[in-house]
């Protein structure tokens, strides 16, 4: 038993040593990206309209347009980019392991995350959690969720209030496709998830008329890019690129392209960015 | 970089981990029972060369053993309700899937590892010495009595090493429950990692917990093996 324990300790220290080595190699992140000639971005590929697969199997979306604009600003080319699909539960780990340079994956800014990563400037304002259910549902208020099965995604910050504050029985999946399928199979009575994606879903063929967003968002979450801690030069470069993209109308254009409606936040940011660059 | 297990002091996390371990243990225990039932019944069908059933069991075993357990779980969870396996919920009047996520995980574990158990038990039955069976026959035992009192008890003892592997594999496969939203150990571990970002520490912890559960299972099987040992028989 003691021998087994010793082996375990050795294995654990090996793993930790490995991670500390990658952390120690500290060239400036901006230089490294420029040297590589490619920006590696963590993006969602199952999250319409922010990042999703089109009929050709390519990742497109609001955040993909932003990422391309950032790559163009920093490296001079839209194609100097590698998109790595991430999900809510692995994106911060991917970033801190150094597998990606930046997260553009509907990452909400909050103080807990700020302890482990740095954020870029906000580029979107996301309606927090909303609830989608069948049109004839008896769910009329947040209190009505008590004791009901509610589908959602593993890794969202509002899963805890859903369960603890509202008493819902959360049924959490790793990805959106499983969540929507489970909901359609009546494995839960409602879906609690981000406003943008559920609003979009409620208007989709096969969903329209049958389901609706029954509880509106009660808070808004600023969405920002995620960066490894302690890279001020890279952070400044990405922020500058985001402002340039806003000024050039990339984000307002993307909102139109992907049917997201015009949001006050993005429009205002674009106007402010234009005023700053002029 | 240093390991920080400070989050373990949070009573909520402790509660989550305990609940997760409980679910994992229950999933595994029910899966093992189902696996043994399927294994013995299936092996009996093959052993007695029952008409039709022998062919059916062979086909099912090949199908279950040669497809990934995750695919089988998704099939049970997402597809069975689509082909009509659903019931009406008395409370809401809606049609809901017949099997809950928990049931689907137990079924998938029982079926996949059960298919492997069929082959393991069949090999155990084949390893019972012919002379012993002939001896029983000469004492007037019927075919069924020979199976019940001679072949099965001896055969099962012979399968213990292979069956231990199967049980450990079943326990580890139970972590797939997280993919169909069943709150097992892996599920709560994911939730904890998302909140405290101590991925390495949480992974190390659940790694150790899985080792402990599997080791416990191996010890229990070892005790069963020792208790049922036939002196002088070499097993």
């Amino acid at each position: 038993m003691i021998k087994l324990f010793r082996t375990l300790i050795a294995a654990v220290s090996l793993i930790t040593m490995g991670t500390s080595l990658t952390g120690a190699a500290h060239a400036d992140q901006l230089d490294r990206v420029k040297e590589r000639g490619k920006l590696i971005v963590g993006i969602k590929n199952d999250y319409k309209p922010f990042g999703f697969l089109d009929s050709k199997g390519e990742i497109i979306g609001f955040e993909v347009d932003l990422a391309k604009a950032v790559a163009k600003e920093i490296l001079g080319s839209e194609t100097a980019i590698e998109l790595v699909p991430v999900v809510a539960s692995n994106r911060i780990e991917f970033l801190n392991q150094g597998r990606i340079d930046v997260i553009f994956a509907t990452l909400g800014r909050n103080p807990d995350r700020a302890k482990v990563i740095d954020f870029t400037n906000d580029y979107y304002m996301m309606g927090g959690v909303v609830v989608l259910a069948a049109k004839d549902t008896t769910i009329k208020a947040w209190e009505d969720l008590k004791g009901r099965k509610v589908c959602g995604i593993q890794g969202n910050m509002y899963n805890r209030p859903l369960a603890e504050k509202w008493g819902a029985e959360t049924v959490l999946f790793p990805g959106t496709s499983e969540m929507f399928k489970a909901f359609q199979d009546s494995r839960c009575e409602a879906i609690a998830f981000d406003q943008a994606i559920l609003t979009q879903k409620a208007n989709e063929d096969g969903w329209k008329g049958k389901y609706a967003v029954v509880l509106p968002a009660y808070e808004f979450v600023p969405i920002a890019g995620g960066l490894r801690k302690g890279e001020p030069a890279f952070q400044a470069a990405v922020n500058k690129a985001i402002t340039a993209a806003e000024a050039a109308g990339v984000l307002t254009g993307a909102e139109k392209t992907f049917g997201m409606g015009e949001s006050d936040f993005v429009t205002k940011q674009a106007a402010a960015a234009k005023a700053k660059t002029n | 970089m240093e390991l920080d297990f400070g989050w373990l002091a949070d009573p909520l996390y402790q509660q989550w981990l305990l609940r997760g371990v409980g679910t994992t243990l229950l999933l595994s225990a029910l899966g093992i029972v189902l696996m043994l039932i399927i294994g013995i019944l299936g092996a009996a069908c093959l052993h007695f060369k029952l008409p039709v059933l022998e062919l059916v069991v062979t086909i099912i075993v090949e199908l279950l053993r040669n497809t990934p357990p995750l695919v089988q779980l998704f099939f049970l969870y997402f597809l069975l309700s689509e082909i009509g396996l659903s019931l009406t919920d008395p409370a809401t009047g809606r049609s809901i899937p017949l099997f809950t996520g928990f049931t689907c995980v137990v079924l998938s574990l029982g079926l996949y590892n059960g298919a492997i158990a069929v082959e393991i038990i069949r090999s155990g039955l084949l390893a019972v010495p012919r002379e012993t069976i002939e001896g029983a026959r000469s004492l007037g035992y019927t075919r069924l009595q020979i199976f019940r009192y001679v072949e099965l008890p001896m055969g099962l003892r012979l399968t213990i090493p292979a069956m231990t592997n199967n049980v450990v594999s079943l326990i580890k496969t139970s972590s797939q429950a997280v993919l169909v939203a069943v709150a097992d150990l892996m599920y709560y571990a994911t939730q904890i990692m998302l909140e405290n970002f101590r991925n390495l520490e949480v992974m190390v912890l659940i790694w150790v917990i899985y080792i402990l559960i599997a080791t416990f299972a191996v010890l229990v099987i070892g005790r069963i093996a020792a208790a049922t040992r036939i002196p002088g028989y070499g097993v």
Side-chain angles (χ1 to χ4, degrees), chain A residues 182-247:
Chain A
F183 172 67
Q184 283 183 303
D185 287 353
S186 303
R187 289 195 180 273
C188 43
E189 278 188 64
I191 300 181
F193 198 41
D194 297 341
Q195 183 186 37
I197 195 165
L198 289 189
T199 310
Q200 214 257 346
K201 199 77 193 169
N203 287 314
E204 225 171 68
D205 289 343
W207 289 69
K208 208 174 179 171
K210 229 167 135 187
Y211 307 106
V213 173
V214 293
L215 300 180
Y218 59 84
E219 60 179 347
F220 282 82
V221 185
I223 302 296
L227 306 165
R228 265 191 297 285
K229 273 212 167 294
E231 296 288 354
F234 186 55
Q235 189 177 21
V238 175
N239 276 336
K240 195 168 147 251
I242 292 176
T243 310
E246 284 169 340

Side-chain angles (χ1 to χ4, degrees), chain A residues 44-53 62-63 86 88 105-106 124-133 151-153 156 158 174-180 183 191-205 207-208 211-213 215 217 223 258-261:
Chain A
K44 291 204 172 163
N45 70 354
D46 66 345
Y47 201 110
K48 216 171 173 181
F50 289 91
F52 59 102
L53 298 175
F62 179 84
E63 286 178 322
V86 296
T106 60
Y124 195 76
M125 195 57 79
M126 177 100 80
V129 56
V130 301
V131 170
L132 177 124
C151 280
I153 296 286
N156 280 320
Y158 46 69
T176 51
S177 55
E178 290 101 329
M179 173 182 77
F180 287 128
F183 172 67
I191 300 181
F193 198 41
D194 297 341
Q195 183 186 37
I197 195 165
L198 289 189
T199 310
Q200 214 257 346
K201 199 77 193 169
N203 287 314
E204 225 171 68
D205 289 343
W207 289 69
K208 208 174 179 171
Y211 307 106
V213 173
L215 300 180
I223 302 296
F258 300 109
M260 298 159 70

Side-chain angles (χ1 to χ4, degrees), chain A residues 6 50 68 73 101 121 170 186 199 222-223 262:
Chain A
R6 259 193 220 139
F50 289 91
K68 282 182 177 162
E73 181 73 20
D101 299 321
N121 294 338
T170 48
S186 303
T199 310
I223 302 296
E262 272 177 43

Side-chain angles (χ1 to χ4, degrees), chain A residues 185-187, chain B residues 76-77 80-82 84-88 95-101 103-104 107:
Chain A
D185 287 353
S186 303
R187 289 195 180 273
Chain B
L76 286 169
Y77 191 77
L80 278 192
S81 54
E82 204 140 288
L85 274 183
S86 52
L87 50 88
T88 310
S95 119
I96 54 168
L98 181 59
F99 298 132
T100 62
T103 317
C104 286
L107 279 178

Side-chain angles (χ1 to χ4, degrees), chain A residues 16 45 70 76 149 154 165 216 223 229 270 272:
Chain A
T16 42
N45 70 354
V70 170
K149 284 193 176 159
Q154 291 162 10
K165 192 170 169 198
I223 302 296
K229 273 212 167 294

Side-chain angles (χ1 to χ4, degrees), chain B residues 156-168:
Chain B
L156 283 181
R157 283 178 178 83
L158 292 165
T159 63
I160 283 176
M163 201 56 97
T164 311
N165 289 339
N166 200 23
V167 166
V168 170

Side-chain angles (χ1 to χ4, degrees), chain B residues 59-111:
Chain B
I59 292 171
I60 292 177
V61 165
E62 291 298 323
L63 264 181
L64 290 172
R65 196 186 50 183
N66 300 341
T67 50
L70 181 59
V71 175
Q72 292 168 21
L73 177 61
F74 278 0
F75 180 84
L76 286 169
Y77 191 77
F78 289 117
L79 290 175
L80 278 192
S81 54
E82 204 140 288
I83 56 175
L85 274 183
S86 52
L87 50 88
T88 310
D89 185 359
T92 58
R94 278 180 214 290
S95 119
I96 54 168
L98 181 59
F99 298 132
T100 62
F102 185 88
T103 317
C104 286
V105 176
V106 171
L107 279 178
S108 85
L109 290 175
L111 288 171

Side-chain angles (χ1 to χ4, degrees), chain B residues 18-225:
Chain B
L18 280 179
R19 245 190 274 166
V21 170
T23 311
T24 293
L25 286 177
L26 193 61
L27 282 173
S28 307
L30 293 174
I32 289 169
V33 171
L34 186 63
M35 177 264 279
L36 282 175
I37 295 174
I38 291 175
I40 292 175
L41 289 181
C45 289
L46 297 183
H47 188 68
F48 284 116
K49 298 198 174 10
L50 296 176
V52 187
L53 275 181
E54 187 192 4
L55 183 68
V56 172
V57 170
T58 310
I59 292 171
I60 292 177
V61 165
E62 291 298 323
L63 264 181
L64 290 172
R65 196 186 50 183
N66 300 341
T67 50
L70 181 59
V71 175
Q72 292 168 21
L73 177 61
F74 278 0
F75 180 84
L76 286 169
Y77 191 77
F78 289 117
L79 290 175
L80 278 192
S81 54
E82 204 140 288
I83 56 175
L85 274 183
S86 52
L87 50 88
T88 310
D89 185 359
T92 58
R94 278 180 214 290
S95 119
I96 54 168
L98 181 59
F99 298 132
T100 62
F102 185 88
T103 317
C104 286
V105 176
V106 171
L107 279 178
S108 85
L109 290 175
L111 288 171
Y112 175 72
N113 293 89
I116 296 169
V118 168
E119 291 296 292
I120 293 176
I121 294 174
R122 197 171 68 97
S123 76
L125 294 175
L126 287 175
V128 177
R130 276 184 66 87
E131 296 78 8
T132 316
I133 299 166
E134 280 164 7
R137 199 177 295 146
S138 67
L139 285 171
Y141 278 61
T142 65
R143 188 81 181 81
L144 206 62
Q145 281 173 326
I146 294 175
F147 183 73
R148 165 76 184 78
Y149 294 109
V150 180
E151 286 173 306
L152 200 55
M154 289 179 78
L156 283 181
R157 283 178 178 83
L158 292 165
T159 63
I160 283 176
M163 201 56 97
T164 311
N165 289 339
N166 200 23
V167 166
V168 170
S169 141
L170 185 145
I171 292 170
K172 292 185 293 184
T173 316
S174 77
S175 61
Q176 283 175 354
V178 66
L179 298 170
V180 292
V182 173
D184 73 336
L185 178 56
M186 196 64 204
Y187 178 93
Y188 282 118
T190 316
Q191 191 64 28
I192 293 174
M193 279 191 276
L194 290 161
E195 291 194 3
N196 69 4
F197 309 103
R198 314 290 331 179
N199 295 41
L200 182 64
E201 288 87 338
V202 179
M203 275 302 166
V204 168
L205 179 77
I206 62 161
W207 183 45
V208 171
I209 295 179
Y210 273 111
I211 289 177
L212 289 178
I213 296 176
T215 311
F216 174 72
V218 171
L219 289 177
V220 170
I221 300 173
R223 291 296 287 270
I224 295 174

